[in-house]
Amino acid sequence: MVSIDRRVVLITGASSGIGKASAQYLHQKGYRVYGTSRYAMKLSTADFVSSEQFELIGMDMTSESSISQAIETIIAREGRLDVVVNNAGYGLAGAIEDTQISEAQSLMETNFFGVMRVCRAVLPLMREQGAGYLINISSIAGLTAIPFQALYSASKFAIEGFSEALRMEVQPYGIKVVLIEPGDFQTEFTARRLKTVAAQSETAYTQRLAKALAVMESDEQQGLKPELVGYLLEKIITTSSPQLRYEIAPQTEKLAVELKKRIPGELYEWMIMKYFNLL
């Protein structure tokens, strides 16, 4: 195994939230960390100083050429890439009826196809190295759907199935595929969540959407600290045989996932709707 001071880590969506906290934590632990952001060139250089913080480089998750260029930049500097954390993504609130196909496609282009693009771009290198960690950030919402967050949940459900299959495909090449499933965290994700265009006006779903969003936002604001994901990442990448899934969420959310497996579907649905004030 490559020593920590030579291991190179790429974390997408590292300008804020879980991505930024994880990148900072691993950098402080001695890893060579590169974070990416679509808006990297707009950030103040005071926020990310190479000598004291991790490197932040531009990457557009919807562009294969942008992804390739960012990875080539890292390889040119470091000669290898040991860990990739697919963290970039965003939330979209609104009823399915109030969601345009173009809005759904835009979210999937980043949240799901962006992950696939990054994986495809780094797999040849990792196969050649005979080692690597591909860690995809899913969500508790990828295990149990959230009303009025249907497309976000769909993107995370997709990452779950994608990662299960990928793990089996690349196992002979020494590549470890891992899912991290966060619950509610105190990050900028809450403020940055988009609403569908239709949901920004009065619709048949306006009142119920507002009730559900109020619960979501309250839970997020009282959620876990994003630094915890950094601790978990270090645990994973220092484990020779990591498991497929790691849930990291408040106990009530972990319990909800377990209950979904154990109680009748109608009862579980009632509990979720009751929790989000939809009954």
Side-chain angles (χ1 to χ4, degrees), residues 59-278:
M59 178 191 282
D60 181 351
M61 296 290 287
T62 68
S63 167
E64 288 192 14
S65 61
S66 175
I67 291 169
S68 295
Q69 184 176 359
I71 292 169
E72 288 169 5
T73 297
I74 296 170
I75 299 306
R77 293 184 184 181
E78 306 292 344
R80 62 182 301 110
L81 183 53
D82 302 288
V83 180
V84 172
V85 182
N86 277 304
N87 168 74
Y90 67 93
L92 180 68
I96 293 173
E97 186 179 343
D98 291 339
T99 304
Q100 296 293 322
I101 295 298
S102 59
E103 293 174 311
Q105 288 173 330
S106 292
L107 180 139
M108 294 299 285
E109 282 293 336
T110 294
N111 288 19
F112 175 67
F113 289 112
V115 172
M116 183 175 178
R117 290 185 185 100
V118 172
C119 289
R120 291 186 69 247
V122 301
L123 279 170
L125 173 66
M126 288 187 170
R127 281 194 295 103
E128 184 179 346
Q129 291 175 172
Y133 289 79
L134 276 173
I135 303 172
N136 296 331
I137 305 297
S138 178
S139 173
I140 292 295
L143 301 174
T144 180
I146 301 176
F148 298 105
Q149 296 276 347
L151 271 299
Y152 180 75
S153 282
S155 71
K156 297 303 185 179
F157 269 77
I159 287 173
E160 292 280 327
F162 172 87
S163 300
E164 280 190 21
L166 181 61
R167 181 177 168 105
M168 291 183 283
E169 292 176 5
V170 302
Q171 187 273 337
Y173 308 108
I175 302 169
K176 318 298 184 184
V177 177
V178 177
L179 284 158
I180 293 180
E181 298 157 338
D184 288 322
F185 276 77
Q186 299 176 37
T187 70
E188 298 90 333
F189 185 86
T190 304
R192 294 185 177 187
R193 179 186 287 113
L194 302 181
K195 279 188 176 182
T196 66
V197 172
Q200 296 174 42
S201 302
E202 191 76 21
T203 78
Y205 301 93
T206 297
Q207 292 184 4
R208 296 177 76 231
L209 169 61
K211 289 179 180 179
L213 269 179
V215 175
M216 293 173 208
E217 291 173 355
S218 175
D219 286 349
E220 289 163 356
Q221 290 162 6
Q222 299 175 61
L224 303 177
K225 299 291 186 182
E227 292 77 13
L228 291 173
V229 180
Y231 306 154
L232 177 57
L233 279 170
E234 186 180 29
K235 174 185 175 182
I236 292 168
I237 64 179
T238 54
T239 300
S240 59
S241 299
Q243 62 196 49
L244 171 60
R245 289 184 169 86
Y246 292 83
E247 289 181 15
I248 179 166
Q251 288 300 320
T252 53
E253 295 172 37
K254 291 183 177 181
L255 177 61
V257 172
E258 286 304 310
L259 284 174
K260 183 180 180 180
K261 303 173 186 175
R262 300 175 186 274
I263 66 175
E266 294 84 354
L267 176 58
Y268 183 78
E269 182 180 87
W270 180 87
M271 291 174 59
I272 293 297
M273 293 182 71
K274 182 73 172 177
Y275 183 80
F276 286 106
N277 293 325
L278 297 177

